[in-house]
Amino acid sequence: MTKVDTHHNSLPRGVALAFIIVALTAVGARAQTTDDSQTSRPSLLGGIEYTAEAQISASHGNTPLWLNANRYGLSSLESTNGYLRASAIRSLDADSAKALAVGYGFDIALPFNYTSNVVVQQAYAELRWLHGTLAVGSKQHPMELKNNRLSSGSQTLGINSRPVPQMRLALPDYWTLPLTRGWVQMKGHIAYGRMTDQRWQHAFTEKKSKYVDNALFHSKAGYLRIGGDSRRQPWSIEMGLEMAAIYGGTAYAKNGDEMTPLIGETGLRGFLHALVPGGFDAGETVYKNVSGDQVGSWVMRLNYDFPTLAVSLYADKFFEDHSAMLFTDYDGYGEGDEWNEKKHSRYLIYKLKDMLLGVEIKLKNSRWISDIVAEYIYTKYQSGPIFHDHTRNISDHIGGNDNFYNHHIYTGWQHWGQVMGNPLYRSPIYNTTGRIEVENNRFMAFHLGIDGHPSPTLDYRLLATWQDGQGTYLNPYPSPRHNLSLMAEATYRFTANPLRGCSIKAAFGLDHGKIYGNNYGMQITISKTMTR
């Protein structure tokens, strides 16, 4: 986000207080049903799922988009790449009948032609007491309110980049609020962590353009679901707010032939200003903004469960500042000596244009086509192209050019070169300029995903995306660029000994256009899983 002033870009401080309630509820929630099995202790060495996996990709050009994106960052653009991977995961579900549950995981990959020689994809421990959980470390967290196999991705908390090591307090599953007769449920989380891509940033930029050392991470989300048990009431509506921030650390900005350090807020002040957006960044004086790179999304999903199919409509409204979050901005400043004082009740109203809209249809009795997802994504507006603030001589205040996923001090909403939200925002890892920025954040796209399970041992999925990109407001493409990305994937699972637990997955991907280039390639993944 390219920032202007406190009034335009500050996110309302009161909004984050709702997430504190979610966190307290996660800690204080009481089991709504109890039985004798809850008093037994978890068996820490039981219920562990072991997986060994090998993958190889070969492409003409870069690895195609859908062979690279939405894989929690375990991917590479190199024309030939792959990895050997091993994991041991104990899910909290292993203690599903107990009040106290213990989970942990270690997931490591030895890749070739990746940005790292060794990737510790996951390394975490977690506890669940009744309904609340506490997790510490790097863990892959799925998207909320979207199909993780078929959607193009969430705009704030996506699955496109490597996990950020963090401490995460959560109410992970919907918990029924008392006195609502089962009609209202809630869930959410709050997390703090630290980014791990410092060395990659040094190598990618060669320290000649903007980079950040020791950046900190924060995220929070809260969701409400209204609707009864699907066996009695077929409809429900889910509504939520997702917010996140990159803050702290030391950012380095280009200043002639030198890189000037800008030290971000840390300690308790930085912690609080990430939780409840406030403060300001180094170098800001009259026109102050919130501390760090603050992003978020309003999300909603309407579900209806028919006897033979289930239909869901959903929306994801991304924002990086006040105007995009609440669609309004203050424009009632005084004049002369009162040029920076709020004197009049006057506001700007922004258009509700930037949005991800989707529909999902589950066919309950169909094996060949089980699930269909269709999405429309529009991000060209960004509160408009005008980027102006009031001055002593000009009292009118107009703020736009939100510059999604970018920031004037930090390296934007990315980790290890991959955007942390929807991958249709062109990730910095594609750049050949050595600059960590999203070069195409104004676009319109149509996305389609289909999967099926023709037999108990075979499943497939198809992804197709058409995109019209215009670059950014600051650096627009000379003319619109178009791109078509396709993927076809099939997985076969062996059920007979000695190959029980083994699977082989083959995928073909293709890009055609001027956003990601003309690429095509194959990807083969072989894995073996067993539980003990």
Side-chain angles (χ1 to χ4, degrees):
M1 169 177 65
T2 304
K3 298 186 182 178
V4 192
D5 71 293
T6 305
H7 310 291
H8 172 58
N9 281 303
S10 292
L11 300 177
R13 296 190 177 191
V15 169
L17 296 180
F19 297 109
I20 299 176
I21 298 174
V22 171
L24 294 176
T25 303
V27 174
R30 291 295 183 266
Q32 293 163 354
T33 58
T34 59
D35 55 54
D36 293 338
S37 65
Q38 289 188 331
T39 62
S40 60
R41 296 180 180 179
S43 175
L44 299 183
L45 298 181
I48 303 175
E49 182 177 87
Y50 299 92
T51 301
E53 186 172 275
Q55 182 181 99
I56 186 167
S57 299
S59 304
H60 174 79
N62 291 331
T63 303
L65 175 68
W66 293 124
L67 297 185
N68 165 70
N70 284 346
R71 297 166 188 263
Y72 295 99
L74 190 59
S75 57
S76 171
L77 291 185
E78 296 293 331
S79 58
T80 303
N81 66 79
Y83 62 74
L84 297 174
R85 183 180 184 183
S87 67
I89 306 292
R90 188 180 195 273
S91 171
L92 292 173
D93 292 339
D95 299 321
S96 59
K98 300 179 176 64
L100 174 65
V102 177
Y104 51 84
F106 188 68
D107 181 0
I108 187 170
L110 301 177
F112 67 93
N113 287 339
Y114 271 51
T115 53
S116 302
N117 294 323
V118 178
V119 177
V120 180
Q121 184 70 6
Q122 299 184 88
Y124 66 90
E126 57 185 343
L127 293 174
R128 190 202 74 237
W129 172 247
L130 301 178
H131 297 285
T133 65
L134 175 65
V136 179
S138 298
K139 184 182 179 184
Q140 298 178 170
H141 296 285
M143 297 184 293
E144 298 283 356
L145 310 192
K146 293 183 183 68
N147 186 307
N148 281 250
R149 275 173 55 85
L150 301 181
S151 172
S152 65
S154 288
Q155 296 205 82
T156 299
L157 303 178
I159 58 173
N160 190 56
S161 66
R162 292 189 195 176
V164 177
Q166 60 192 261
M167 179 176 291
R168 181 181 177 107
L169 182 66
L171 189 63
D173 301 312
Y174 280 116
W175 175 71
T176 301
L177 294 178
L179 307 178
T180 64
R181 297 185 178 181
W183 278 90
V184 182
Q185 304 91 38
M186 68 178 295
K187 66 178 178 180
H189 83 270
I190 181 171
Y192 282 88
R194 179 168 175 169
M195 312 294 280
T196 62
D197 63 348
Q198 177 173 311
R199 291 185 179 180
W200 173 83
Q201 291 193 33
H202 293 174
F204 189 80
T205 64
E206 297 181 342
K207 296 187 177 181
K208 296 179 180 179
S209 63
K210 178 174 60 181
Y211 64 93
V212 183
D213 289 347
N214 304 315
L216 302 177
F217 170 86
H218 166 65
S219 71
K220 51 186 173 280
Y223 310 89
L224 281 178
R225 183 174 66 186
I226 301 173
D229 190 320
S230 62
R231 291 171 295 181
R232 295 176 296 160
Q233 183 60 257
W235 65 268
S236 66
I237 183 171
E238 300 171 88
M239 301 170 289
L241 177 59
E242 301 175 345
M243 297 179 69
I246 298 173
Y247 72 103
T250 301
Y252 290 85
K254 185 74 170 177
N255 184 10
D257 294 330
E258 298 181 352
M259 300 299 293
T260 301
L262 300 170
I263 300 175
E265 287 188 332
T266 55
L268 180 60
R269 179 175 295 180
F271 180 97
L272 293 175
H273 285 161
L275 176 65
V276 183
F280 57 92
D281 285 321
E284 296 176 339
T285 54
V286 175
Y287 301 123
K288 294 180 180 179
N289 301 270
V290 296
S291 176
D293 184 10
Q294 302 263 356
V295 301
S297 286
W298 295 104
V299 292
M300 184 179 71
R301 185 178 177 103
L302 177 64
N303 310 297
Y304 199 94
D305 194 1
F306 294 94
T308 59
L309 60 86
V311 178
S312 298
L313 304 175
Y314 55 92
D316 184 333
K317 173 66 177 77
F318 183 73
F319 57 85
E320 289 222 23
D321 61 15
H322 180 96
S323 62
M325 181 181 184
L326 299 178
F327 322 119
T328 61
D329 210 355
Y330 184 76
D331 188 29
Y333 294 99
E335 298 179 353
D337 293 338
E338 298 178 322
W339 71 277
N340 203 27
E341 297 182 17
K342 296 182 177 181
K343 305 294 293 185
H344 312 289
S345 180
R346 188 170 67 218
Y347 296 86
L348 291 172
I349 305 298
Y350 293 91
K351 299 176 182 178
L352 178 60
K353 296 183 70 174
D354 296 324
M355 190 88 69
L356 184 155
L357 300 174
V359 57
E360 180 175 1
I361 302 174
K362 291 181 178 292
L363 304 174
K364 299 180 180 180
N365 300 324
S366 174
R367 294 186 304 173
W368 283 95
I369 299 179
S370 302
D371 215 334
I372 303 171
V373 167
E375 295 178 338
Y376 165 76
I377 307 101
Y378 187 93
T379 70
K380 293 181 181 181
Y381 179 53
Q382 299 187 24
S383 301
I386 299 175
F387 192 59
H388 165 70
D389 201 0
H390 66 292
T391 66
R392 181 177 293 273
N393 298 321
I394 304 175
S395 61
D396 291 329
H397 172 87
I398 302 173
N401 193 358
D402 293 341
N403 207 5
F404 288 176
Y405 284 33
N406 289 320
H407 192 267
H408 72 300
I409 292 178
Y410 290 88
T411 54
W413 194 234
Q414 68 82 39
H415 193 217
W416 287 90
Q418 296 277 21
V419 298
M420 291 194 285
N422 190 296
L424 297 183
Y425 294 84
R426 190 175 183 269
S427 289
I429 200 169
Y430 285 93
N431 297 348
T432 59
T433 60
R435 297 175 61 86
I436 304 176
E437 62 183 5
V438 175
E439 294 184 351
N440 181 49
N441 62 18
R442 296 184 61 240
F443 63 87
M444 182 264 291
F446 296 96
H447 174 78
L448 177 67
I450 300 173
D451 72 3
H453 309 273
S455 76
T457 59
L458 178 67
D459 65 60
Y460 76 91
R461 63 173 174 153
L462 304 173
L463 301 179
T465 307
W466 181 86
Q467 187 174 7
D468 170 84
Q470 296 190 352
T472 67
Y473 275 131
L474 296 178
N475 294 292
Y477 293 149
S479 59
R481 298 181 182 180
H482 303 105
N483 205 93
L484 175 66
S485 295
L486 304 173
M487 188 194 75
E489 177 186 273
T491 303
Y492 184 81
R493 295 175 176 82
F494 298 88
T495 58
N497 290 325
L499 296 179
R500 182 184 297 273
C502 294
S503 68
I504 181 169
K505 178 165 58 180
F508 172 80
L510 177 149
D511 297 328
H512 180 73
K514 294 184 178 180
I515 298 178
Y516 302 103
N518 296 320
N519 315 299
Y520 59 87
M522 290 285 298
Q523 189 174 84
I524 304 294
T525 308
I526 301 173
S527 64
K528 165 71 174 178
T529 299
M530 61 181 182
T531 302
R532 291 184 178 178

